Amino acid sequence: MIAKRLSAVWLLACVAAIACYAETYTPEASNRVTINFGATPWKFIKANPVGASDSGFNDAAWKDVGIPHCMNDSDTFINQQSGGGDGSFYNGPSWYRKHFTLDASYTGRKVFVEFEGAHYAIAAYINGHFLPGNSAYNPKATHVIGFIGCVVDITPYVHFGGVPNVMACYVTKTQDIWSDPHFSGSFRFGQGSGGMFRPVWMHITDPVHVPLNIYSVLNKWGTYVATTAASDAQATVRIQTNVQNEGATDQTVSLTTKIVDATSTVVSSLTSTQTITAGQTYLFDQTATILNPHLWYPNASPYGKPYLHKVYHIVKIGATTVDVFTSPLGIRTITWDANYPYINGHQHFLWGAAGRYDYPALGTAIPEEQQWRDVSLVAACNGRLWRPGHSSCSPEYVAACDEYGVMVVQPSGEGEGAFSTNGLAGYNDPTYTKTLKSELHRDMVIRDRNHPSILAWEASNGPIDPTFCDQLRALAKQWDSLTPHVQAVRGDPFPPGDLAACTMTGCEIGVKAAHPLCPSWGAEAWSRGAARFAYDFEIAHAEQYVQNWKRSIQNKCFGLVQWYLAEECGEDGNFLEGLTGTQVRSIGTAMMDASRIPKLLYKIYTVAWDTTKPAVYLAHHWNRTGSVRVNAFSNCDSVRLSINGVSQGTKARNPWIGTADDQDDGQANITLPFQVHWDNLAWTAGTLKAEGINKAGQVLCTDQKVTAGAPAAVKLTVEPALVRPDGSAFQITANGSDAAFILATVVDANGVWCPTANNDITFAVTAGDVEYRGGTQAYVFNGALTFRSPLDPTLQAEGGLQKIAVKSRFTPGTVTVTASATNLTTGTVSYTIDPAKDIITAAAVPVHAPVLAALPDVRIMAAGGLVRYFISQASDVSVDILNASGKVVLRIPCSRQLSGWHPVQMTGSAKTMGEGVYFVKVVVGGQAMAAKRVVVVK
């Protein structure tokens, strides 16, 4: 009967009956627009001129800057020791001013401005009107402590229709608008940089909308998405969505919540309807059941990958979509016993790194691409844990951790022991310190609780008052009630169930023995320091950390993080090669140097942290003399070594527990996990090659070292654009804050890297509208604060390498950089800066939508009586329907179509088409892009 009522029934070729097809969701247009408010110039000055908050103030002489912007970027990575305070930092006062207009079409909408991070304190004004905060303290500030952001409503004070507006922001550490709470402000802990150091966004919405997940300043949150149960067979996801009606009348609102997988296929769709009173907010509470879900696992897990879904919260009034809000979702559960985390029921060890929030010569204004690159470096060495030290990392960083599968122990802010009983007793107003900490803790939980990469909330980086510790745990559970994350603390007391953290290599073993009911981890693995190029000390540097990694596992500690991923400014130490804090600019314990060039320790961790990915790495270099020992590290069964193609023998590598648990021979050590060595080899110039081999004798991986001749030239290369796991690529744009990172390599006449070169290299920008920022070096040998610091054009090659940052301004085009050194051929490299993109999302296009190629992606779907085609960008499209003989029986003429799904109109097709097999062909711009076989049944 059904077949008789249809003029044609279209079936998928792979089935012989009518079947439901999976819905593919393309975000529809809504009234939400998101603008990168920092991609076009702001005016900036390091001063506090009278009247700077007024809209009519003359700021024409101020500097143009892009946001993110660090007001003391040139004061980082200078020759200042750990604990040296922040006397060399410029800490304000500073002003930022933004001139802008809004189109008349936005009249009647809501306009919000989100500050992701303004440190230390910000007082924001719109057209001369101060925007107060919601804190119990600091009434003259809009917000304080910039590692957690805030959002303000500027709708009542903004002008539409092209009338000028001015947003003015006073950012400072001087205590005229705030009081120092004694945490999250230490130069020593990377918290000393200030300014509007994270992005600023403008959000334009309908009066009926989903609020942002930023509690300060408006006391609102938008969504809470939590996986309450998960298995390979079925998952349960709870979705809470606040919809706010800021209009003048009551509105009947429908909320459709779609959970969409990585292929844009809808795996759950829920719809609820509610009348929302004018001026009120309604909380929709929905539960989805997903069959055979793709589960999210951390990086390098043997059980799965960090598979991400998206949740679309679609708000409609009648048939009109007024808002589309997006939340991240990784379908996963985390449970704990006294020792380990269980991700989706599977026990995991978690190893990784820690870091601050800065980069040489850029301060804390780190481009989004570099933040993602740092996470990719953790993932590339098979790490899956990150600890920010000791304030919250950015929303961009958390999003990157979601995609790469790096779990985060997220802190809300700390000094070191700032919340201990004795520490609080020493403050003039301990209630203020605890109140501000609690506000930031609440805001952190609300901002990040949807993200699958969050492992725990860190309450303290040192001893904490027991009562206050309990209060913070209860506060986190209040705002993270559906699937509460555990709490991490460092220093006694350790309440049962909290994650017990500690500082210095091996500390977690003693903590675990003393607190058997607490999962224990090494939150700061540090001790021995060495420079990246200290070849004669790299085994001794790695020994303590690698041996402790082994012992940590043996003593039921669930994880550790290396202190740090990359060397940081401020902290220094005594290096194994005999250098002291007066000669070096870092603590030396990191896996990489400050410019993210790896040490041997990074490579050993890569081998150890995932033995399913074959890898082999040679130590040292091959510019040696005499009789030498060769060390290699591999997770393959054995390693074959050759010199200029002549075999030096195949040897089994050490097991993961090494060959002597407590042996410490420093550079002479041959007992390390995964180590293999060859003694008394006669060095010969040429190529040293290591091959990782399995039990069947197959070569799975290789590494080699090549003897270099005398330094002859400087070679420049630009760091390639990072491609995210979802396939989208970054671009360097003319937004005043993106940066190119350029590596200088000293090479010989044959282009071979010279691993011992230490030439002074002078960099210069010879074309392009950019700002040379420079870099840093470990060896200093000069007491001047600015020697080989940001902006210095000359840096010394360390191990034949050096890297600089060059920041964009506001003009797109080609940039050329040169690097010269005495008696070496000058290196030259060019790259392109693309135009800035200020409107990031309109019509609910995802922020990280992949860059589209010249021709769009095209797909065809046929099922349930309908044929549809999808195009990924607006294009000229025609559709041909051909019979089995290849004859066109129906043609839909070419017309301009927007991106998204489109039905194939079949009017009249029954007159020209009988039952049988047909082909639907979609033609874009005159080129056939997709075809699908269908069956017609009358």
Side-chain angles (χ1 to χ4, degrees):
M1 295 295 294
I2 295 176
K4 293 181 179 179
R5 291 197 298 266
L6 296 175
S7 62
V9 178
W10 295 74
L11 302 176
L12 291 171
C14 61
V15 297
I18 299 173
C20 294
Y21 63 86
E23 177 189 358
T24 300
Y25 178 67
T26 300
E28 64 248 54
S30 77
N31 288 336
R32 179 178 293 268
V33 177
T34 301
I35 298 170
N36 185 343
F37 211 31
T40 50
W42 288 61
K43 292 292 186 177
F44 171 72
I45 192 171
K46 289 183 176 181
N48 187 15
V50 176
S53 63
D54 298 338
S55 58
F57 181 86
N58 184 0
D59 56 20
W62 293 13
K63 182 180 179 180
D64 285 343
V65 299
I67 308 295
H69 177 264
C70 179
M71 67 184 179
N72 40 24
D73 49 5
S74 299
D75 303 333
T76 59
F77 289 89
I78 58 176
N79 301 340
Q80 184 165 286
Q81 297 179 13
S82 176
D86 54 8
S88 300
F89 269 43
Y90 180 81
N91 288 312
S94 294
W95 279 89
Y96 297 82
R97 286 170 55 90
K98 177 73 171 181
H99 298 258
F100 66 99
T101 59
L102 290 173
D103 192 83
S105 63
Y106 294 134
T107 303
R109 306 270 188 92
K110 297 290 297 182
V111 184
F112 304 97
V113 173
E114 173 193 352
F115 300 95
E116 274 196 21
H119 198 52
Y120 295 77
I122 178 175
Y125 298 81
I126 179 67
N127 294 326
H129 297 274
F130 172 62
L131 300 168
N134 69 330
S135 175
Y137 289 85
N138 305 308
K140 295 182 179 180
T142 303
H143 190 63
V144 300
I145 307 299
F147 295 99
I148 295 291
C150 67
V151 61
V152 293
D153 184 354
I154 66 173
T155 311
Y157 313 108
V158 78
H159 309 304
F160 298 93
V163 178
N165 297 282
V166 177
M167 171 150 274
C169 300
Y170 179 52
V171 183
T172 185
K173 190 183 180 181
T174 55
Q175 296 187 38
D176 50 345
I177 63 171
W178 75 307
S179 296
D180 187 352
H182 305 286
F183 70 91
S184 287
S186 171
F187 163 77
R188 182 184 176 199
F189 297 124
Q191 303 158 334
S193 296
M196 290 170 59
F197 72 104
R198 289 179 180 166
V200 179
W201 307 94
M202 176 177 282
H203 304 273
I204 302 173
T205 72
D206 193 86
V208 176
H209 63 275
V210 178
L212 298 171
N213 286 318
I214 302 167
Y215 197 78
S216 293
V217 166
L218 303 179
N219 300 316
K220 300 288 183 182
W221 60 267
T223 65
Y224 183 14
V225 178
T227 303
T228 58
S231 69
D232 291 333
Q234 182 173 301
T236 304
V237 180
R238 184 106 169 259
I239 309 111
Q240 294 184 338
T241 309
N242 273 312
V243 178
Q244 188 170 7
N245 178 10
E246 295 197 70
T249 60
D250 299 351
Q251 296 288 350
T252 298
V253 174
S254 69
L255 172 72
T256 298
T257 303
K258 293 183 182 291
I259 300 177
V260 176
D261 70 12
T263 68
S264 298
T265 299
V266 177
V267 298
S268 176
S269 182
L270 305 165
T271 299
S272 304
T273 302
Q274 178 67 34
T275 298
I276 305 177
T277 305
Q280 299 298 311
T281 301
Y282 182 79
L283 178 62
F284 291 87
D285 196 336
Q286 301 167 314
T287 300
T289 299
I290 302 169
L291 300 178
N292 304 314
H294 289 282
L295 301 181
W296 187 98
Y297 285 94
N299 179 54
S301 169
Y303 304 103
K305 299 184 180 301
Y307 190 99
L308 280 178
H309 293 71
K310 289 181 181 178
V311 181
Y312 291 96
H313 311 259
I314 305 159
V315 181
K316 293 187 177 184
I317 299 176
T320 302
T321 301
V322 296
D323 195 11
V324 178
F325 190 92
T326 308
S327 298
L329 171 63
I331 299 176
R332 65 99 182 96
T333 58
I334 306 175
T335 56
W336 294 82
D337 62 16
N339 299 315
Y340 306 111
Y342 293 80
I343 315 296
N344 302 320
H346 298 288
Q347 177 190 313
H348 281 74
F349 287 98
L350 301 176
W351 308 303
R356 307 296 195 196
Y357 336 88
D358 48 29
Y359 191 94
L362 299 177
T364 49
I366 310 302
E368 183 181 7
E369 179 182 23
Q370 184 54 42
Q371 295 184 57
W372 280 68
R373 185 176 286 119
D374 277 355
V375 180
S376 75
L377 291 171
V378 177
C381 71
N382 300 314
R384 48 179 179 248
L385 184 61
W386 180 258
R387 183 185 180 224
H390 301 282
S391 292
S392 303
C393 59
S394 70
E396 289 81 13
Y397 207 96
V398 177
C401 287
D402 287 346
E403 289 217 30
Y404 283 102
V406 176
M407 305 204 79
V408 182
V409 178
Q410 187 73 291
S412 52
E414 174 66 290
E416 193 159 76
F419 311 114
S420 67
T421 304
N422 292 335
L424 290 168
Y427 301 150
N428 293 331
D429 189 354
T431 301
Y432 165 50
T433 297
K434 291 192 291 184
T435 300
L436 184 57
K437 165 72 172 181
S438 298
E439 291 173 350
L440 292 168
H441 207 69
R442 171 201 65 201
D443 292 0
M444 167 195 70
V445 171
I446 292 171
R447 190 194 78 176
D448 290 343
R449 63 191 175 185
N450 291 342
H451 291 274
S453 60
I454 296 297
L455 179 73
W457 310 119
E458 184 177 283
S460 72
N461 177 48
I464 183 171
D465 176 78
T467 301
F468 188 44
C469 182
D470 292 342
Q471 291 171 352
L472 290 175
R473 188 186 310 102
L475 178 68
K477 289 184 177 179
Q478 173 188 345
W479 293 100
D480 186 22
S481 59
L482 298 182
T483 53
H485 294 78
V486 295
Q487 177 165 277
V489 294
R490 192 191 116 190
D492 282 329
F494 292 118
D498 280 10
L499 305 188
C502 56
T503 183
M504 208 156 183
T505 299
C507 64
E508 68 272 19
I509 297 170
V511 168
K512 183 62 191 174
H515 302 275
L517 298 181
C518 292
S520 178
W521 66 300
E524 297 179 0
W526 66 276
S527 181
R528 294 176 178 173
R532 163 178 52 80
F533 56 92
Y535 302 106
D536 292 329
F537 302 91
E538 58 187 3
I539 300 290
H541 173 242
E543 185 277 336
Q544 189 177 55
Y545 303 116
V546 179
Q547 293 281 38
N548 179 70
W549 166 79
K550 169 198 66 180
R551 288 191 286 263
S552 183
I553 297 171
Q554 292 171 323
N555 286 273
K556 297 184 178 180
C557 302
F558 77 84
L560 60 83
V561 295
Q562 186 68 29
W563 198 251
Y564 307 90
L565 172 68
E567 301 294 353
E568 298 286 350
C569 63
E571 294 196 87
D572 62 12
N574 295 325
F575 284 30
L576 288 170
E577 55 266 41
L579 300 173
T580 68
T582 59
Q583 299 173 298
V584 295
R585 189 175 285 157
S586 60
I587 195 171
T589 65
M591 298 194 280
M592 314 181 97
D593 75 356
S595 298
R596 281 57 171 174
I597 300 171
K599 303 179 187 180
L600 179 63
L601 178 60
Y602 180 90
K603 299 174 182 180
I604 298 175
Y605 279 151
T606 304
V607 165
W609 287 351
D610 187 357
T611 57
T612 68
K613 298 176 183 176
V616 62
Y617 296 104
L618 286 160
H620 219 282
H621 54 71
W622 201 235
N623 275 51
R624 305 173 74 178
T625 60
S627 178
V628 299
R629 169 183 288 169
V630 171
N631 286 289
F633 292 84
S634 180
N635 51 27
C636 297
D637 295 296
S638 58
V639 178
R640 181 167 59 214
L641 190 73
S642 64
I643 300 175
N644 297 327
V646 178
S647 175
Q648 305 299 308
T650 300
K651 293 191 176 186
R653 51 86 171 167
N654 292 342
W656 77 270
I657 58 172
T659 58
D661 285 345
D662 299 316
Q663 189 168 336
D664 181 1
D665 291 330
Q667 189 65 15
N669 206 315
I670 57 173
T671 68
L672 297 181
F674 303 101
Q675 186 177 12
V676 59
H677 75 285
W678 292 259
D679 278 330
N680 302 317
L681 296 183
W683 177 82
T684 303
T687 300
L688 177 73
K689 185 176 183 180
E691 297 173 304
I693 300 173
N694 65 11
K695 286 184 172 64
Q698 297 171 309
V699 176
L700 304 180
C701 51
T702 63
D703 190 26
Q704 68 179 32
K705 305 284 185 179
V706 179
T707 304
V714 180
K715 177 184 177 182
L716 292 184
T717 53
V718 179
E719 188 83 37
L722 182 72
V723 178
R724 303 180 186 88
D726 70 359
S728 59
F730 281 97
Q731 296 172 297
I732 301 173
T733 65
N735 60 5
S737 59
D738 281 352
F741 300 97
I742 300 171
L743 178 68
T745 304
V746 179
V747 297
D748 68 8
N750 295 316
V752 176
W753 164 46
C754 299
T756 62
N758 61 357
N759 308 69
D760 280 354
I761 301 175
T762 300
F763 297 89
V765 176
T766 58
D769 181 25
V770 293
E771 180 182 355
Y772 173 83
R773 295 300 308 165
T776 188
Q777 63 184 61
Y779 285 3
V780 183
F781 301 113
N782 188 302
L785 287 176
T786 57
F787 178 73
R788 306 291 166 85
S789 292
L791 305 182
D792 193 328
T794 299
L795 294 165
Q796 184 184 46
E798 297 178 324
L801 302 170
Q802 189 53 264
K803 188 182 284 188
I804 61 168
V806 179
K807 194 162 71 169
S808 68
R809 289 197 174 110
F810 300 101
T811 305
T814 300
V815 177
T816 301
V817 176
T818 64
S820 59
T822 302
N823 298 323
L824 302 186
T825 301
T826 297
T828 302
V829 72
S830 296
Y831 64 94
T832 301
I833 296 179
D834 295 308
K837 301 173 183 177
D838 55 354
I839 297 183
I840 298 300
T841 66
V845 176
V847 173
H848 297 310
V851 178
L852 294 172
L855 290 173
D857 174 46
V858 179
R859 285 171 278 168
I860 301 173
M861 180 175 288
L866 178 67
V867 173
R868 300 186 303 163
Y869 67 87
F870 168 84
I871 53 173
S872 61
Q873 66 185 43
S875 306
D876 295 324
V877 182
S878 62
V879 178
D880 289 342
I881 299 176
L882 299 84
N883 63 19
S885 301
K887 179 181 178 181
V888 175
V889 296
L890 180 66
R891 172 164 288 163
I892 301 174
C894 182
S895 61
R896 190 68 174 176
Q897 301 292 334
L898 298 177
S899 62
W901 285 97
H902 302 274
V904 175
Q905 301 297 330
M906 297 180 294
T907 304
S909 60
K911 297 179 180 179
T912 57
M913 298 166 57
E915 293 186 342
V917 175
Y918 292 84
F919 294 88
V920 177
K921 181 173 68 174
V922 176
V923 180
V924 178
Q927 181 173 337
M929 295 294 295
K932 193 171 188 70
R933 182 173 180 257
V934 298
V935 177
V936 174
V937 180
K938 287 191 176 180

